[in-house]
Amino acid sequence: MPAEGASMPVWHEKHLRAATKAAGVALWSWNVDTDAITMDERAYELWEVSKTHGQITFEVLSRNIHPADLERVRSAFSATRSIVGAYEIDFRILADGEVRWISARGQGDDADIADRLMFGIFLDVTQRKQAEEANELLAGEMSHRVKNLLTIATALTQMTSRTAATKEDMAHDLASRLIALGRAQDLIHSRPGRTSAAALLGDLVSVLLAPYDEKGASVRIRVSVPKMNVGERSSTTLALVMHELATNSAKYGSLSVSSGTLDVSCSAHDDEVVIMWTERGGPPKSADTTEGFGSKLIHRSMSAQLGGTIAFDWSAEGLVVTLRMSRERMAN
């Protein structure tokens, strides 16, 4: 800023051109009667129009306007003939095989537009628009995640309330389920410096079952699965199913006694993944097990989210649960 009392520097044409170039501003004028458009060099570059093309009109420039925006821009330009004051519109153009956002701003000298000319600028606002779109996507994703979390929390609360004998039992069981899901999500969500939002199936299962291996030294949990990714979307569903199986096993199955064992194995054939949950050494099947294992939520989740099924087979030796799912769906 010049000192108080000092005169402003004289701006010459070369200074103005340097300033507009530095700001990425392209200049234009438009004769509203003849449709003739005059542009500076920067505008020709922005629109990818050759300076040898001849007379430039809106129809010439419209060839580069994104088809989805063309009619909106055409109507807006036609309406400027009667606009009093400033005019501004943002739209997309196709340049260099890419979509770029342009902001066209202009104004006539008065209501009648002096000498029938409108003057204005073009600005490349692609980066600003991309940032706005990224923010909108992030807001939408956050909203989606919050809704999913509320849905899961509601389902877990209903599930826990059906089997808990006291409010203390319900609070403990619900908290343990939520903590297990939290551990699973910690494996999946990307962190700084980490590009992949996927976890290994073996890691996910081991993390979920680790608390149950602490009930007694004789309880043995073995996890044997091939190296296979579980995607961010499917991790919550698979974690919920695994945790429900473990919870029921700890209450009624092999993990409820010190001599019980649990083996989790996996195989993949083409697009199908099969997980075998095998319990041995537990008490005989009781009526109490039907409620947890027959949960509609688990069956619905396996079908809708993982494109698969879950089946239970009780025998004298124990329980075998077979989970079948789409490999592609599991990786997403």
Side-chain angles (χ1 to χ4, degrees), residues 61-80:
L61 297 183
S62 68
R63 298 169 190 167
N64 287 5
I65 297 177
H66 194 287
D69 294 344
L70 181 56
E71 289 306 316
R72 176 173 62 87
V73 177
R74 190 192 305 277
S75 299
F77 263 74
S78 298
T80 58

Side-chain angles (χ1 to χ4, degrees), residues 176-192:
S176 66
R177 284 173 172 146
L178 292 175
I179 290 171
L181 291 178
R183 292 195 190 102
Q185 291 303 300
D186 285 341
L187 285 175
I188 298 298
H189 287 308
S190 58
R191 300 179 181 89

Side-chain angles (χ1 to χ4, degrees), residues 160-179:
T160 308
S161 67
R162 291 197 300 267
T163 57
T166 66
K167 63 180 181 181
E168 289 78 12
D169 290 341
M170 178 177 174
H172 178 271
D173 292 347
L174 180 59
S176 66
R177 284 173 172 146
L178 292 175
I179 290 171

Side-chain angles (χ1 to χ4, degrees), residues 8-323:
M8 292 290 293
V10 178
W11 285 74
H12 298 288
E13 181 180 350
K14 65 177 183 179
H15 299 143
L16 294 174
R17 290 190 177 278
T20 56
K21 182 178 181 180
V25 174
L27 307 177
W28 57 266
S29 66
W30 178 44
N31 187 307
V32 299
D33 293 325
T34 66
D35 198 31
I37 297 176
T38 303
M39 306 189 300
D40 67 358
E41 185 174 350
R42 168 63 180 161
Y44 278 97
E45 294 174 356
L46 193 63
W47 283 89
E48 289 192 333
V49 176
S50 173
K51 296 180 70 174
T52 62
H53 184 280
Q55 187 178 36
I56 302 298
T57 64
F58 175 80
E59 290 305 317
V60 171
L61 297 183
S62 68
R63 298 169 190 167
N64 287 5
I65 297 177
H66 194 287
D69 294 344
L70 181 56
E71 289 306 316
R72 176 173 62 87
V73 177
R74 190 192 305 277
S75 299
F77 263 74
S78 298
T80 58
R81 291 179 170 86
S82 59
I83 286 178
V84 177
Y87 160 83
E88 180 177 351
I89 185 174
D90 294 349
F91 54 90
R92 291 164 292 179
I93 66 171
L94 302 174
D96 292 330
E98 299 180 353
V99 176
R100 290 158 67 180
W101 278 92
I102 301 299
S103 180
R105 307 175 185 180
Q107 183 171 357
D109 287 347
D110 51 38
D112 296 325
I113 304 183
D115 299 324
R116 307 302 292 166
L117 290 177
M118 173 176 278
F119 298 90
I121 63 172
F122 292 127
L123 284 175
D124 188 337
V125 294
T126 303
Q127 289 186 341
R128 173 171 64 83
K129 287 292 185 178
Q130 288 175 342
E132 291 174 355
E133 290 173 356
N135 288 336
E136 290 177 0
L137 286 174
L138 179 60
E141 179 66 14
M142 288 299 294
S143 176
H144 177 71
R145 289 182 184 277
V146 169
K147 290 178 180 178
N148 280 349
L149 287 173
L150 292 174
T151 300
I152 292 170
T154 300
L156 287 177
T157 303
Q158 294 173 345
M159 179 192 305
T160 308
S161 67
R162 291 197 300 267
T163 57
T166 66
K167 63 180 181 181
E168 289 78 12
D169 290 341
M170 178 177 174
H172 178 271
D173 292 347
L174 180 59
S176 66
R177 284 173 172 146
L178 292 175
I179 290 171
L181 291 178
R183 292 195 190 102
Q185 291 303 300
D186 285 341
L187 285 175
I188 298 298
H189 287 308
S190 58
R191 300 179 181 89
R194 176 178 166 186
T195 57
S196 176
L200 293 178
L201 175 61
D203 292 343
L204 180 63
V205 176
S206 297
V207 166
L208 289 168
L209 297 182
Y212 300 94
D213 213 9
E214 299 172 0
K215 283 184 174 292
S218 61
V219 174
R220 300 177 62 189
I221 298 178
R222 294 182 292 267
V223 178
S224 177
V225 299
K227 188 176 182 179
M228 190 178 303
N229 284 341
V230 180
E232 184 172 0
R233 293 182 179 178
S234 60
S235 64
T236 298
T237 300
L238 192 57
L240 178 61
V241 172
M242 287 285 180
H243 183 68
E244 183 63 16
L245 292 176
T247 299
N248 280 281
S249 181
K251 288 183 176 181
Y252 319 113
S254 64
L255 297 184
S256 67
V257 296
S258 59
S259 59
T261 63
L262 169 63
D263 287 277
V264 180
S265 60
C266 175
S267 61
H269 307 282
D270 298 326
D271 185 49
E272 185 180 58
V273 175
V274 180
I275 298 177
M276 303 297 296
W277 174 287
T278 306
E279 297 185 28
R280 291 292 183 262
K285 176 186 177 182
S286 67
D288 293 333
T289 61
T290 305
E291 179 73 19
F293 288 146
S295 171
K296 293 181 180 180
L297 175 64
I298 293 180
H299 287 275
R300 186 165 57 247
S301 297
M302 284 294 300
S303 175
Q305 302 298 326
L306 297 175
T309 61
I310 181 169
F312 302 89
D313 180 20
W314 281 93
S315 66
E317 292 79 19
L319 170 68
V320 177
V321 183
T322 304
L323 297 91

